[in-house]
């Protein structure tokens, strides 16, 4: 599976960005995808996940109510709409393909990352 993110950039606090993750290749072992982020000096954290059918979504407490994850299976693309951005959202954002069975299990399929910078 190959994953390619796009859509990062620099935005002022309170602004919005939409990230995209285009997937290609065999998805036989995958039934969910997630967005992770990693800020300098911090661990990579899962911020949102969505199952293949889109029936289940979940968010970390830090982004709940501000971010929305979605997918277009016809385009093999996943999105992360980020609204009301805060400086603490600044990080490199990665998409991941994995499995969901009550919890999300990331497989070793990662995008190259896209930088999101929120200025105060």
């Amino acid at each position: 599976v190959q994953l390619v993110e796009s859509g990062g950039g620099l935005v002022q606090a309170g602004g919005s960005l939409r990230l995209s993750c285009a997937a290609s290749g065999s998805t036989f072992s995958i039934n969910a995808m997630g967005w992770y982020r990693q800020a300098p000096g911090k661990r990579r954290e899962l911020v949102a996940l969505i199952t293949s059918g889109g029936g289940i979504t979940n968010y970390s407490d830090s982004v709940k109510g501000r971010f929305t994850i979605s997918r277009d299976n016809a385009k093999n693309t996943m999105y992360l709409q980020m609204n009301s951005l805060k400086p603490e959202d600044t990080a490199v954002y990665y998409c991941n393909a994995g499995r969901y069975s009550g919890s999300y299990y990331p497989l070793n399929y990662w995008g190259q990352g896209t930088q999101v910078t929120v200025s105060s």
Side-chain angles (χ1 to χ4, degrees), residues 39-74:
K42 295 189 176 181
R43 294 177 63 181
R44 191 173 296 190
E45 64 169 338
L46 177 66
V47 297
L49 69 91
I50 186 166
T51 53
S52 294
I56 296 175
T57 60
N58 208 347
Y59 301 89
S60 67
D61 288 343
S62 60
V63 307
K64 196 173 296 182
R66 300 186 298 121
F67 291 11
T68 302
I69 191 171
S70 63
R71 62 190 298 160
D72 183 337
N73 288 337

CSV table of all heavy atoms in Angstrom, one decimal, residues 39-74:
chain,number,residue,atom,x,y,z
A,39,ALA,N,4.5,16.2,16.9
A,39,ALA,CA,5.1,17.5,17.1
A,39,ALA,C,6.6,17.3,17.5
A,39,ALA,O,6.9,16.3,18.1
A,39,ALA,CB,4.3,18.3,18.2
A,40,PRO,N,7.4,18.4,17.4
A,40,PRO,CA,8.8,18.2,17.8
A,40,PRO,C,9.0,17.8,19.2
A,40,PRO,O,8.3,18.4,20.1
A,40,PRO,CB,9.4,19.6,17.5
A,40,PRO,CG,8.5,20.2,16.5
A,40,PRO,CD,7.1,19.6,16.7
A,41,GLY,N,9.8,16.8,19.5
A,41,GLY,CA,10.0,16.3,20.8
A,41,GLY,C,8.9,15.5,21.5
A,41,GLY,O,9.0,15.2,22.6
A,42,LYS,N,7.9,15.2,20.7
A,42,LYS,CA,6.7,14.5,21.2
A,42,LYS,C,6.5,13.2,20.5
A,42,LYS,O,7.0,13.0,19.3
A,42,LYS,CB,5.5,15.3,21.2
A,42,LYS,CG,5.5,16.6,22.0
A,42,LYS,CD,4.1,17.2,22.1
A,42,LYS,CE,4.2,18.4,23.1
A,42,LYS,NZ,2.8,19.1,23.2
A,43,ARG,N,5.8,12.3,21.1
A,43,ARG,CA,5.5,11.0,20.4
A,43,ARG,C,4.4,11.2,19.3
A,43,ARG,O,3.6,12.1,19.4
A,43,ARG,CB,5.0,10.0,21.5
A,43,ARG,CG,6.0,9.6,22.5
A,43,ARG,CD,5.4,8.7,23.5
A,43,ARG,NE,5.0,7.4,22.9
A,43,ARG,CZ,4.4,6.4,23.6
A,43,ARG,NH1,4.2,6.5,24.9
A,43,ARG,NH2,4.1,5.3,23.0
A,44,ARG,N,4.5,10.3,18.4
A,44,ARG,CA,3.4,10.3,17.4
A,44,ARG,C,2.1,9.9,18.0
A,44,ARG,O,2.1,8.9,18.7
A,44,ARG,CB,3.8,9.4,16.2
A,44,ARG,CG,3.0,9.5,15.0
A,44,ARG,CD,3.5,8.7,13.8
A,44,ARG,NE,4.8,9.2,13.4
A,44,ARG,CZ,5.4,8.8,12.3
A,44,ARG,NH1,4.9,7.9,11.5
A,44,ARG,NH2,6.6,9.3,11.9
A,45,GLU,N,1.1,10.6,17.7
A,45,GLU,CA,-0.2,10.3,18.3
A,45,GLU,C,-1.3,10.2,17.3
A,45,GLU,O,-1.3,10.9,16.3
A,45,GLU,CB,-0.6,11.4,19.3
A,45,GLU,CG,-0.9,12.8,18.7
A,45,GLU,CD,-1.5,13.7,19.7
A,45,GLU,OE1,-2.2,13.3,20.6
A,45,GLU,OE2,-1.4,15.0,19.4
A,46,LEU,N,-2.2,9.2,17.5
A,46,LEU,CA,-3.4,9.1,16.7
A,46,LEU,C,-4.4,10.1,17.0
A,46,LEU,O,-4.8,10.3,18.1
A,46,LEU,CB,-4.0,7.7,16.9
A,46,LEU,CG,-5.2,7.3,16.1
A,46,LEU,CD1,-4.9,7.2,14.6
A,46,LEU,CD2,-5.8,6.0,16.6
A,47,VAL,N,-4.8,10.9,16.0
A,47,VAL,CA,-5.8,11.9,16.2
A,47,VAL,C,-7.2,11.6,15.7
A,47,VAL,O,-8.2,12.1,16.2
A,47,VAL,CB,-5.4,13.3,15.6
A,47,VAL,CG1,-4.1,13.8,16.3
A,47,VAL,CG2,-5.2,13.2,14.1
A,48,ALA,N,-7.3,10.7,14.7
A,48,ALA,CA,-8.6,10.3,14.1
A,48,ALA,C,-8.4,9.0,13.3
A,48,ALA,O,-7.4,8.7,12.8
A,48,ALA,CB,-9.1,11.4,13.2
A,49,LEU,N,-9.5,8.2,13.3
A,49,LEU,CA,-9.6,7.0,12.6
A,49,LEU,C,-10.9,6.9,11.9
A,49,LEU,O,-11.9,7.4,12.3
A,49,LEU,CB,-9.3,5.8,13.4
A,49,LEU,CG,-10.3,5.4,14.5
A,49,LEU,CD1,-11.3,4.4,13.9
A,49,LEU,CD2,-9.6,4.8,15.7
A,50,ILE,N,-10.9,6.1,10.8
A,50,ILE,CA,-12.2,5.8,10.1
A,50,ILE,C,-12.1,4.4,9.6
A,50,ILE,O,-11.0,4.0,9.0
A,50,ILE,CB,-12.4,6.8,9.0
A,50,ILE,CG1,-13.8,6.6,8.4
A,50,ILE,CG2,-11.3,6.8,8.0
A,50,ILE,CD1,-14.2,7.8,7.5
A,51,THR,N,-13.2,3.6,9.7
A,51,THR,CA,-13.2,2.3,9.1
A,51,THR,C,-13.4,2.4,7.6
A,51,THR,O,-13.9,3.4,7.1
A,51,THR,CB,-14.2,1.4,9.8
A,51,THR,OG1,-15.5,2.1,9.8
A,51,THR,CG2,-13.8,1.2,11.3
A,52,SER,N,-13.2,1.2,6.9
A,52,SER,CA,-13.2,1.2,5.5
A,52,SER,C,-14.6,1.6,4.9
A,52,SER,O,-14.7,2.3,3.9
A,52,SER,CB,-12.9,-0.1,5.0
A,52,SER,OG,-11.5,-0.4,5.2
A,53,GLY,N,-15.7,1.2,5.6
A,53,GLY,CA,-17.0,1.6,5.2
A,53,GLY,C,-17.4,3.0,5.7
A,53,GLY,O,-18.5,3.5,5.3
A,54,GLY,N,-16.6,3.6,6.5
A,54,GLY,CA,-16.9,4.9,7.1
A,54,GLY,C,-17.9,4.8,8.2
A,54,GLY,O,-18.3,5.9,8.7
A,55,GLY,N,-18.3,3.6,8.6
A,55,GLY,CA,-19.3,3.5,9.7
A,55,GLY,C,-18.8,3.9,11.0
A,55,GLY,O,-19.6,4.3,11.9
A,56,ILE,N,-17.5,3.8,11.3
A,56,ILE,CA,-17.0,4.1,12.6
A,56,ILE,C,-15.9,5.2,12.4
A,56,ILE,O,-15.0,5.1,11.6
A,56,ILE,CB,-16.4,2.9,13.3
A,56,ILE,CG1,-17.4,1.9,13.5
A,56,ILE,CG2,-15.6,3.3,14.5
A,56,ILE,CD1,-16.9,0.5,14.1
A,57,THR,N,-16.0,6.2,13.2
A,57,THR,CA,-15.0,7.3,13.3
A,57,THR,C,-14.7,7.5,14.8
A,57,THR,O,-15.5,7.3,15.6
A,57,THR,CB,-15.4,8.6,12.6
A,57,THR,OG1,-16.5,9.1,13.2
A,57,THR,CG2,-15.6,8.4,11.1
A,58,ASN,N,-13.5,7.9,15.0
A,58,ASN,CA,-13.1,8.2,16.4
A,58,ASN,C,-12.0,9.3,16.4
A,58,ASN,O,-11.2,9.4,15.5
A,58,ASN,CB,-12.6,7.0,17.1
A,58,ASN,CG,-12.8,7.0,18.6
A,58,ASN,OD1,-13.1,8.0,19.2
A,58,ASN,ND2,-12.7,5.9,19.3
A,59,TYR,N,-12.0,10.1,17.5
A,59,TYR,CA,-11.1,11.2,17.5
A,59,TYR,C,-10.4,11.3,18.9
A,59,TYR,O,-11.0,10.9,19.9
A,59,TYR,CB,-11.9,12.5,17.3
A,59,TYR,CG,-12.6,12.6,16.0
A,59,TYR,CD1,-13.9,12.1,15.8
A,59,TYR,CD2,-11.9,13.1,14.9
A,59,TYR,CE1,-14.5,12.2,14.6
A,59,TYR,CE2,-12.6,13.2,13.6
A,59,TYR,CZ,-13.9,12.7,13.5
A,59,TYR,OH,-14.5,12.8,12.3
A,60,SER,N,-9.3,11.8,18.9
A,60,SER,CA,-8.6,12.1,20.2
A,60,SER,C,-9.4,13.3,20.9
A,60,SER,O,-10.0,14.1,20.2
A,60,SER,CB,-7.2,12.4,20.0
A,60,SER,OG,-7.0,13.6,19.3
A,61,ASP,N,-9.3,13.4,22.2
A,61,ASP,CA,-10.0,14.4,22.9
A,61,ASP,C,-9.4,15.8,22.4
A,61,ASP,O,-10.2,16.8,22.4
A,61,ASP,CB,-9.8,14.3,24.4
A,61,ASP,CG,-10.6,13.1,24.9
A,61,ASP,OD1,-11.5,12.6,24.3
A,61,ASP,OD2,-10.2,12.7,26.1
A,62,SER,N,-8.2,15.9,22.0
A,62,SER,CA,-7.6,17.2,21.7
A,62,SER,C,-8.1,17.8,20.4
A,62,SER,O,-8.0,19.0,20.2
A,62,SER,CB,-6.1,17.0,21.6
A,62,SER,OG,-5.7,16.1,20.6
A,63,VAL,N,-8.8,16.9,19.6
A,63,VAL,CA,-9.3,17.5,18.3
A,63,VAL,C,-10.8,17.3,18.1
A,63,VAL,O,-11.4,17.8,17.2
A,63,VAL,CB,-8.6,16.8,17.1
A,63,VAL,CG1,-7.0,17.0,17.2
A,63,VAL,CG2,-8.9,15.4,16.9
A,64,LYS,N,-11.4,16.6,19.1
A,64,LYS,CA,-12.8,16.3,19.0
A,64,LYS,C,-13.6,17.6,18.9
A,64,LYS,O,-13.4,18.5,19.6
A,64,LYS,CB,-13.3,15.5,20.2
A,64,LYS,CG,-14.6,14.8,20.0
A,64,LYS,CD,-14.8,13.8,21.2
A,64,LYS,CE,-13.8,12.7,21.3
A,64,LYS,NZ,-14.1,11.8,22.4
A,65,GLY,N,-14.5,17.6,17.9
A,65,GLY,CA,-15.4,18.8,17.7
A,65,GLY,C,-14.8,19.8,16.8
A,65,GLY,O,-15.5,20.8,16.3
A,66,ARG,N,-13.5,19.7,16.4
A,66,ARG,CA,-12.8,20.6,15.5
A,66,ARG,C,-12.4,19.9,14.2
A,66,ARG,O,-12.4,20.5,13.2
A,66,ARG,CB,-11.6,21.2,16.2
A,66,ARG,CG,-11.9,22.0,17.5
A,66,ARG,CD,-10.7,22.7,18.0
A,66,ARG,NE,-9.6,21.8,18.4
A,66,ARG,CZ,-8.4,21.8,17.9
A,66,ARG,NH1,-8.0,22.7,16.9
A,66,ARG,NH2,-7.5,20.9,18.3
A,67,PHE,N,-12.0,18.7,14.3
A,67,PHE,CA,-11.5,17.9,13.1
A,67,PHE,C,-12.6,16.9,12.7
A,67,PHE,O,-13.3,16.4,13.5
A,67,PHE,CB,-10.3,17.1,13.4
A,67,PHE,CG,-9.0,18.0,13.7
A,67,PHE,CD1,-9.1,19.4,13.8
A,67,PHE,CD2,-7.8,17.4,13.7
A,67,PHE,CE1,-8.0,20.1,14.0
A,67,PHE,CE2,-6.6,18.1,14.0
A,67,PHE,CZ,-6.7,19.5,14.1
A,68,THR,N,-12.7,16.7,11.4
A,68,THR,CA,-13.6,15.7,10.8
A,68,THR,C,-12.8,14.8,9.8
A,68,THR,O,-12.2,15.3,8.9
A,68,THR,CB,-14.8,16.4,10.1
A,68,THR,OG1,-15.5,17.2,11.1
A,68,THR,CG2,-15.7,15.3,9.6
A,69,ILE,N,-12.9,13.5,10.1
A,69,ILE,CA,-12.3,12.6,9.2
A,69,ILE,C,-13.3,12.0,8.2
A,69,ILE,O,-14.5,11.8,8.6
A,69,ILE,CB,-11.6,11.4,10.0
A,69,ILE,CG1,-10.7,10.6,9.0
A,69,ILE,CG2,-12.6,10.6,10.7
A,69,ILE,CD1,-9.8,9.6,9.8
A,70,SER,N,-13.0,11.8,7.0
A,70,SER,CA,-13.9,11.2,6.0
A,70,SER,C,-13.1,10.5,4.9
A,70,SER,O,-11.9,10.6,4.9
A,70,SER,CB,-14.8,12.3,5.4
A,70,SER,OG,-13.9,13.2,4.7
A,71,ARG,N,-13.8,9.8,4.1
A,71,ARG,CA,-13.1,9.1,3.0
A,71,ARG,C,-14.0,9.0,1.8
A,71,ARG,O,-15.3,9.0,1.9
A,71,ARG,CB,-12.7,7.7,3.5
A,71,ARG,CG,-13.8,6.7,3.9
A,71,ARG,CD,-13.2,5.5,4.5
A,71,ARG,NE,-12.3,4.8,3.6
A,71,ARG,CZ,-11.4,3.9,4.0
A,71,ARG,NH1,-11.2,3.7,5.3
A,71,ARG,NH2,-10.7,3.3,3.1
A,72,ASP,N,-13.4,8.9,0.6
A,72,ASP,CA,-14.1,8.7,-0.6
A,72,ASP,C,-13.5,7.4,-1.2
A,72,ASP,O,-12.5,7.5,-1.8
A,72,ASP,CB,-13.9,9.9,-1.6
A,72,ASP,CG,-14.7,9.8,-2.9
A,72,ASP,OD1,-15.0,8.7,-3.3
A,72,ASP,OD2,-14.9,10.9,-3.5
A,73,ASN,N,-14.3,6.3,-1.1
A,73,ASN,CA,-13.7,5.1,-1.5
A,73,ASN,C,-13.6,5.0,-3.0
A,73,ASN,O,-12.7,4.3,-3.5
A,73,ASN,CB,-14.6,3.9,-1.0
A,73,ASN,CG,-14.4,3.7,0.5
A,73,ASN,OD1,-13.4,4.1,1.1
A,73,ASN,ND2,-15.4,3.1,1.1
A,74,ALA,N,-14.4,5.7,-3.7
A,74,ALA,CA,-14.3,5.7,-5.2
A,74,ALA,C,-13.0,6.3,-5.7
A,74,ALA,O,-12.4,6.0,-6.7
A,74,ALA,CB,-15.5,6.5,-5.8
